[in-house]
Amino acid sequence: MTMRVRFAPSPTGALHIGGARTALYNWLLARHAGGSLVLRVEDTDRERSTPENVAQIVDALGWLELGWDEGPFSQAERRPRHREEIDRLLGEGHAYLDEGAVRLRVPDAGETVVEDVIRGEVSFPHEAIDDFVIARSDGSPLYNLAVAVDDRDMGITHVVRGADHLSNTPRQILILRALGAEPPVYAHLPLLHGPDGKKLSKRHGAASVQELREAGYLPEAVRNYIALLGWGYDESTEFFTTPELVERFSLERVSKSPAVFDEKKLRWMNGHYLRQLDAGDLQQRLERRLDRPVPEAAVRIAQEKMQTLDDFWSLAAFLVEPQPDDPAAWDKVMTAGAPERLRRAREALASAEPFDADAVEQALRRVVDDLGVKPRDVYQPVRVAISGRTVSPGIFESVAVLGRDETLARIDRALERAEISTSAEPDMG
RNA sequence: GGGGGCGUGGUCUAGUGGUUAGGACGCCGGCCUUUCAAGCCGGAGGACACGGGUUCGAUUCCCGUCGCCCCUACCA
């Protein structure tokens, strides 16, 4: 029997990183087994489900490059089908009316056992399960009923979802059995928690896929990172290409304990992916994102220090157009001796030939030697003069990319300012 | 309250009845006679939640306790 899995988000909000991970695991399983992934939108809560949220989820999956084979199906649209089964359950005595609502008859004794791939056998005593409602008094079907009917109708072989559904599973099995169907294989993934240990919610930083995208993360990095939230392959491998993930992922190795989303590690991993991109590709992604052309040379030298796409602008905007000074950077670097060192740097750069990173480096090192100062005493004023900040791509590369004319012009402007501020504060050194 | 799940350094994880408990992020320090969120090197940090067992020996098996989470809705 070929594997059929499903991703069944409820469109009551944006797709969270936890949902994204569930989608990824299902996708990996389907790809690995040559089976199918069904996208089913569980929108039977008409109060909270919105078309905008559905669109957002579809969009997020698209960005993550997690395609599906069938769907998206709307659970709400399958209501007539659910109704049929509810009537059948009623007719066969498996369910009964209670103040208009329909309740499933749950045996008083015994237990229902969930065979979970990740957690083993989990038993639920029937005494702890009430005759639960499967249809509202207006006739509309409820979650557990809809899920059970849909999973069976759609031929789902493996239900892979968050552990928050484990307690609902015996109810779904009870419905399935009353319908005369065999339950699928279940696998309940460990939940994702926020840094405070609580269930992940909007309050926990960049928790939605949209926010991750806006923050400048790469879909391939996000996939790699979330794959590792609840799963590990061996004792040291951290990076997996998507084909490797398809090949190596297995439910048996999924862990049981909840994980916490750590954006710091995602940043690190994203930086690694960013550095592997070829400059042209990165340039295209940046231009699409910033909606403006950016020079390839600037992309090339910024690449080695970026961790997110968003970092590009703060790191290299000065290469695209003049940037205002960061006052703190100015104060820190433009001390009493700075103007003299800047003047010497200007002089050396004026005659550097050709104006490339090597020549710039030689020129500036000569200034350092001649003055007998520390390298940073020369480099930092130059850096602040051209970029306005204490952080930038490599200084020699930055100067070379900026070009001689622009570099000299910016140093001149800095010199003017430095002289004004130095004479205004004669005591400063 | 009832039922269920989970518990390896701050975080993600590997692992086994006998290991110096491995890797990664983060953190700290050094190097790159330049900043740095990059790179390289080094370091601190865990007696594997706690208490009992079983065992020659338990992080690994059993029981209990505690903690956290989930379900217990005419939400999903």
Side-chain angles (χ1 to χ4, degrees), chain A residues 359-418:
Chain A
V360 166
E361 177 168 1
Q362 283 178 34
L364 293 180
R365 284 195 192 289
R366 204 176 314 120
V367 174
V368 169
D369 290 343
D370 291 352
L371 259 31
V373 296
K374 286 173 165 294
R376 56 148 53 89
D377 294 332
V378 171
Y379 302 151
Q380 284 303 79
V382 171
R383 189 190 305 278
V384 171
I386 65 170
S387 76
R389 312 191 45 185
T390 57
V391 176
S392 79
I395 187 63
F396 313 128
E397 294 79 359
S398 294
V399 167
V401 167
L402 238 201
R404 192 197 311 271
D405 294 348
E406 185 61 24
T407 298
L408 298 185
R410 290 189 189 184
I411 291 178
D412 286 339
R413 277 199 293 278
L415 243 16
E416 280 176 41
R417 274 195 56 185

Side-chain angles (χ1 to χ4, degrees), chain A residues 313-339:
Chain A
W313 197 249
S314 56
L315 206 53
F318 76 97
L319 294 170
V320 179
E321 58 193 29
Q323 295 297 308
D325 288 319
D326 167 9
W330 182 276
D331 291 346
K332 183 178 177 191
V333 170
M334 295 301 182
T335 50

Side-chain angles (χ1 to χ4, degrees), chain A residues 271 274-287 294-306 309 312-313 315-320 355-358 392-394 396-403:
Chain A
L274 234 27
R275 252 160 271 121
Q276 286 189 323
L277 256 32
D278 70 65
D281 184 359
L282 178 55
Q283 183 183 17
Q284 280 184 8
R285 298 202 201 204
L286 287 168
E287 292 184 336
V294 296
E296 205 233 322
V299 173
R300 230 182 36 244
I301 66 172
Q303 183 169 18
E304 70 180 73
K305 289 185 180 177
M306 295 166 57
L309 256 19
F312 174 76
W313 197 249
L315 206 53
F318 76 97
L319 294 170
V320 179
F355 203 75
D356 60 19
D358 284 344
S392 79
F396 313 128
E397 294 79 359
S398 294
V399 167
V401 167
L402 238 201

Side-chain angles (χ1 to χ4, degrees), chain A residues 77-96:
Chain A
E77 286 174 9
R78 290 179 40 78
R79 179 169 166 171
R81 190 65 266 278
H82 303 324
R83 221 22 256 187
E84 275 177 39
E85 296 298 67
I86 290 165
D87 291 338
R88 208 179 113 206
L89 255 14
L90 238 19
E92 293 175 359
H94 288 117
Y96 61 94

